Amino acid sequence: MSVLESSEVRISDIVSFLYDPLQYHAFRLFGKDYERKTEKDTFEDLEFDAISKAAIKKVLLKKAIEMKPIDTAVCSTKLKDGINEFEGLIPYRHIIDEPYWTQGVRKIIDDDVVPILDGMKSNISEELDIATDGCPENLMVSGYKITGEYSWYNKKWKEKGLKAYSPSKTKKHLNSYVTALCLIAEHRGESDIPISLFYGGFESEKDSIVNPVFKLNKNKAEKLLEKIISNMAGFMKCVPYDIVSKGTAIKSLDELYGKLLERNGPWAYFDFKNMFAAEDLGHADGDGFEPTQTQERCRVADLGHADGDGFEGKWENALKIYKSFFPDGYFKEKEKEAGK
């Protein structure tokens, strides 16, 4: 459904649009039931799939925050000893054998919950004074009501500055960023609020990017939300957040396409990516085969950029529009870091 066909705009849709406008529109056009299907919790070979694992991790993290442990070793022990407390909260509790279920949950605690809790303790609040449940209250932007669930943030942000945290690594800082925009837009005060964004496990990643730090007031936050929402219906360029945030230089369509399909790249989990590839039209690359001009033009049109002499200009223009969805300086430090 187009954002203009509804009186509501969900936070998750804003995040998806910012992650990659082209992917967002592809799911709207070709996969209307995709998100609903992937939210179902299933097991394969007695292992948690990605969706179930994310749901379990969220429950465990909330429990850990409520405990307010002195150190993560204590937290880990309490969570492991109290696994049965989560009965009824975690899907498919009794469907698989107890040893496999317990082993799987313990692995999630060790691999995901404890490292994320470490980052939250050092970056958000020593007391773990974090709001883990929340949603916009009557937030209207350009005639649309914004709905959905916030990322996590420190409860005392109005006095100490906002620190928003996403326990998910999938879309990096974007869940936290949209949460920050909505919270500031709802705020009655007019002064600038310092904002820091974080996402799960980023400190331990070698290729991590600098977390954004900036200031916003109510007026600026509202204008950014208005600009994003007004472009959600028509801006369909392929401008992935992962590429922009790392300051990656792109000089040609082939270079862009290569970046999209890299291992763990922006299109790693994009189910419709083959629809945009000229080389996947039933012909093998090499052996003398060359895509026809029509095929090349289709690929160019689908990605939203012109190839050849016109590519760099089209790409720079798309970048300019895309970066206008963020406050000045949002990408500055990351571009500097990437240029080292």
Side-chain angles (χ1 to χ4, degrees):
M1 177 183 291
S2 168
V3 68
L4 297 180
E5 295 175 10
S6 172
S7 59
E8 295 184 354
V9 180
R10 292 189 59 81
I11 287 176
S12 58
D13 281 336
I14 298 175
V15 171
S16 295
F17 172 74
L18 291 176
Y19 184 68
D20 183 354
L22 184 68
Q23 283 194 45
Y24 167 76
H25 284 287
F27 282 126
R28 303 278 73 74
L29 292 171
F30 308 126
K32 292 183 179 180
D33 296 328
Y34 176 80
E35 292 176 339
R36 182 161 58 253
K37 290 178 181 177
T38 56
E39 286 174 358
K40 293 180 180 178
D41 299 297
T42 59
F43 285 99
E44 295 180 3
D45 300 326
L46 298 179
E47 294 182 358
F48 298 110
D49 70 357
I51 302 299
S52 296
K53 182 178 178 181
I56 292 170
K57 182 173 68 173
K58 187 171 183 179
V59 171
L60 292 172
L61 280 166
K62 285 186 179 182
K63 184 70 175 179
I65 292 169
E66 291 170 1
M67 289 178 181
K68 296 187 178 179
I70 298 174
D71 57 57
T72 51
V74 173
C75 168
S76 178
T77 300
K78 286 185 176 181
L79 287 175
K80 289 176 181 177
D81 290 345
I83 283 178
N84 289 333
E85 294 180 21
F86 309 126
E87 189 170 337
L89 294 176
I90 297 176
Y92 295 98
R93 170 66 177 83
H94 296 293
I95 288 184
I96 61 175
D97 293 339
E98 176 70 21
Y100 290 102
W101 189 89
T102 302
Q103 180 181 356
V105 174
R106 286 175 179 264
K107 180 172 176 58
I108 292 174
I109 292 172
D110 289 335
D111 294 351
D112 296 306
V113 175
V114 172
I116 289 177
L117 194 63
D118 271 333
M120 296 172 81
K121 286 179 63 179
S122 60
N123 292 313
I124 299 293
S125 168
E126 291 182 1
E127 299 82 18
L128 293 178
D129 185 24
I130 300 169
T132 58
D133 292 293
C135 58
E137 297 180 1
N138 301 316
L139 179 57
M140 299 290 294
V141 177
S142 298
Y144 296 98
K145 181 180 180 181
I146 297 183
T147 63
E149 185 177 350
Y150 282 148
S151 183
W152 301 352
Y153 58 92
N154 55 322
K155 295 178 182 177
K156 300 178 181 178
W157 64 270
K158 295 177 184 178
E159 300 86 33
K160 298 184 177 182
L162 178 59
K163 293 184 177 181
Y165 192 100
S166 172
S168 171
K169 295 190 292 184
T170 304
K171 293 179 179 176
K172 307 301 191 304
H173 299 98
L174 287 175
N175 287 289
S176 302
Y177 173 61
V178 178
T179 293
L181 288 182
C182 294
L183 285 171
I184 302 300
E186 286 184 299
H187 186 40
R188 293 182 179 179
E190 299 296 331
S191 59
D192 283 349
I193 302 290
I195 300 169
S196 300
L197 307 181
F198 306 91
Y199 71 89
F202 74 92
E203 282 192 335
S204 62
E205 295 178 2
K206 294 181 180 179
D207 60 345
S208 63
I209 54 180
V210 178
N211 63 295
V213 179
F214 52 93
K215 292 183 178 181
L216 283 181
N217 58 36
K218 179 179 178 65
N219 184 51
K220 293 178 183 176
E222 287 178 340
K223 286 185 175 179
L224 283 167
L225 281 171
E226 287 174 356
K227 187 154 197 174
I228 294 169
I229 291 172
S230 67
N231 277 275
M232 285 176 69
F235 186 72
M236 303 183 186
K237 308 291 185 182
C238 177
V239 189
Y241 179 80
D242 284 346
I243 288 179
V244 181
S245 62
K246 293 178 182 178
T248 306
I250 302 293
K251 299 296 183 182
S252 69
L253 181 67
D254 285 338
E255 190 173 354
L256 171 61
Y257 199 70
K259 284 292 180 183
L260 297 175
L261 299 180
E262 282 181 344
R263 180 178 176 84
N264 298 323
W267 280 16
Y269 302 104
F270 181 28
D271 287 354
F272 303 113
K273 56 179 170 285
N274 289 343
M275 298 178 68
F276 299 90
E279 57 265 42
D280 290 333
L281 295 176
H283 305 281
D285 199 7
D287 298 328
F289 173 77
E290 294 293 337
T292 67
Q293 290 183 351
T294 300
Q295 290 167 349
E296 284 296 338
R297 282 199 299 272
C298 287
R299 188 174 107 187
V300 171
D302 285 341
L303 292 180
H305 307 287
D307 200 5
D309 295 335
F311 172 80
E312 289 191 61
K314 294 289 186 180
W315 173 250
E316 288 301 321
N317 184 59
L319 278 181
K320 183 178 179 180
I321 296 173
Y322 181 82
K323 288 184 178 181
S324 71
F325 303 148
F326 299 83
D328 292 339
Y330 183 97
F331 296 111
K332 183 176 180 181
E333 291 301 320
K334 282 175 272 191
E335 289 169 351
K336 180 179 179 182
E337 186 80 7
K340 286 185 178 180

